[in-house]
Amino acid sequence: MALENITQNKVFGGWHKQYLHDSEVLNCRMQFAIYLPPQAAPSAPVPVLYWLSGLTCTDQNFMQKSGAFRMAAKLGLAIVAMDTSPRGEDVADDDGYDLGQGAGFYLNATEFPWSRHYQMYDYVTQELPNLIQQHFPVSSVRSISGHSMGGHGALTIGLKNPTLYRSISAFSPITHPTQCPWGQKAFAAYLGSDRTTWLQYDTCELIKRVDKHVPVLVDQGESDDFLEEQLKPDSLVAVSAPEKGELNVRLQPGYDHSYFFIASFIDEHLQFHAKHMTE
């Protein structure tokens, strides 16, 4: 599959690059960004952290605002950030910011008109990683992280695919989407009215059903405006159990939902993933 390089910048000895490609899974043109640390070489492939962003974001938010490159270069981690949904004039959309383009929710839609393009789960777990491994000096070792809607995506995808990911982390994730307005609106549109089909994309419901999961780190700001209505970290804590695996939910006083919060703790998340990707 051909890639079109549209930007590149050297940073901390490595390279941040953006690419366009034609996605067979999403039936549209897609954009992603990759950071390759200075250690990356064909003779020395590096592990990859996949980052999933939140509502209204693109591949650029994390790469420009998180301040992740210094630590990624030190640890020798590649980072891949993708767009949050299919894009294009023929791609179904909605007037609201929380549905349609910019709001793919990292699931496979089953309902018309969304099902033609909105197959983000398959894009994240299959098509994009295969593309990355084909074109860049990275190994098959991967972990996953995200913010808000992307935190929901990282948690659900990581929990459902423990053999694909060594670790999972999230900032301010939507932990119980079947019980919050953002999730209910998106799931009704993308998956239909049968709520039993929604459970496969709900972190709290998934944790109830797994016997064992890979290590998980969650950071949540206590001054987040979306804390109680949309994110519900207490629901995640309530279903966690030590025998199922490491799940550390940290409430951070004074922090909100912004990238200022992410930038404050991103080094710790990268170190968490590096530990598990090198074991």
Side-chain angles (χ1 to χ4, degrees):
M1 186 179 294
L3 297 181
E4 179 186 348
N5 180 216
I6 54 176
T7 70
Q8 60 180 27
N9 305 92
K10 192 168 186 178
V11 52
F12 293 111
W15 287 92
H16 166 264
K17 300 183 178 185
Q18 286 181 299
Y19 291 89
L20 291 171
H21 74 101
D22 292 320
S23 170
E24 295 180 2
V25 168
L26 303 179
N27 294 305
C28 67
R29 194 91 160 136
M30 286 294 287
Q31 180 170 302
F32 70 87
I34 185 169
Y35 176 68
L36 292 169
Q39 300 90 331
S43 60
V46 295
V48 188
L49 177 66
Y50 285 86
W51 174 266
L52 311 183
S53 288
L55 290 167
T56 75
C57 293
T58 69
D59 63 287
Q60 299 180 56
N61 296 74
F62 178 82
M63 294 304 206
Q64 294 183 7
K65 297 179 179 180
S66 69
F69 297 145
R70 184 190 296 272
M71 183 57 69
K74 179 179 179 180
L75 297 171
L77 298 182
I79 302 174
V80 171
M82 66 206 71
D83 205 346
T84 51
S85 77
R87 304 275 183 174
E89 292 183 2
D90 66 335
V91 175
D93 201 6
D94 184 83
D95 291 336
Y97 74 94
D98 51 359
L99 182 66
Q101 296 188 37
F105 272 82
Y106 304 103
L107 50 72
N108 285 342
T110 58
E111 298 297 299
F112 181 83
W114 312 102
S115 55
R116 182 167 180 263
H117 295 284
Y118 287 75
Q119 304 295 312
M120 288 296 292
Y121 179 89
D122 285 350
Y123 182 71
V124 174
T125 60
Q126 299 174 33
E127 185 177 46
L128 185 58
N130 291 340
L131 189 67
I132 297 299
Q133 285 186 238
Q134 178 184 352
H135 289 276
F136 301 100
V138 302
S139 72
S140 60
V141 176
R142 68 179 93 154
S143 289
I144 192 165
S145 185
H147 172 232
S148 194
M149 178 187 70
H152 142 77
L155 287 167
T156 55
I157 287 170
L159 289 169
K160 292 173 72 171
N161 297 278
T163 62
L164 292 183
Y165 303 97
R166 297 286 184 88
S167 51
I168 308 164
S169 77
F171 292 87
S172 315
I174 304 170
T175 66
H176 208 1
T178 61
Q179 302 301 315
C180 79
W182 278 341
Q184 290 169 347
K185 178 179 178 179
F187 287 4
Y190 296 144
L191 303 174
S193 59
D194 181 358
R195 293 191 174 218
T196 62
T197 66
W198 299 8
L199 302 181
Q200 63 182 308
Y201 297 111
D202 186 302
T203 296
C204 290
E205 296 299 329
L206 288 171
I207 286 185
K208 291 177 187 177
R209 289 160 172 74
V210 298
D211 295 324
K212 194 79 173 174
H213 58 72
V214 300
V216 179
L217 172 63
V218 174
D219 271 317
Q220 173 64 63
E222 289 188 345
S223 295
D224 192 319
D225 290 340
F226 304 111
L227 185 66
E228 299 299 329
E229 183 181 27
Q230 303 284 9
L231 307 178
K232 302 184 182 297
D234 290 346
S235 296
L236 181 59
V237 172
V239 297
S240 65
E243 66 272 13
K244 293 192 174 188
E246 175 189 346
L247 199 167
N248 187 9
V249 180
R250 309 189 304 189
L251 298 178
Q252 304 292 0
Y255 288 93
D256 56 21
H257 199 73
S258 71
Y259 266 83
F260 294 109
F261 171 45
I262 295 171
S264 299
F265 296 97
I266 190 62
D267 284 1
E268 294 178 35
H269 281 241
L270 294 176
Q271 290 167 331
F272 165 78
H273 290 297
K275 173 180 180 290
H276 292 290
M277 286 196 279
T278 56
E279 287 181 342

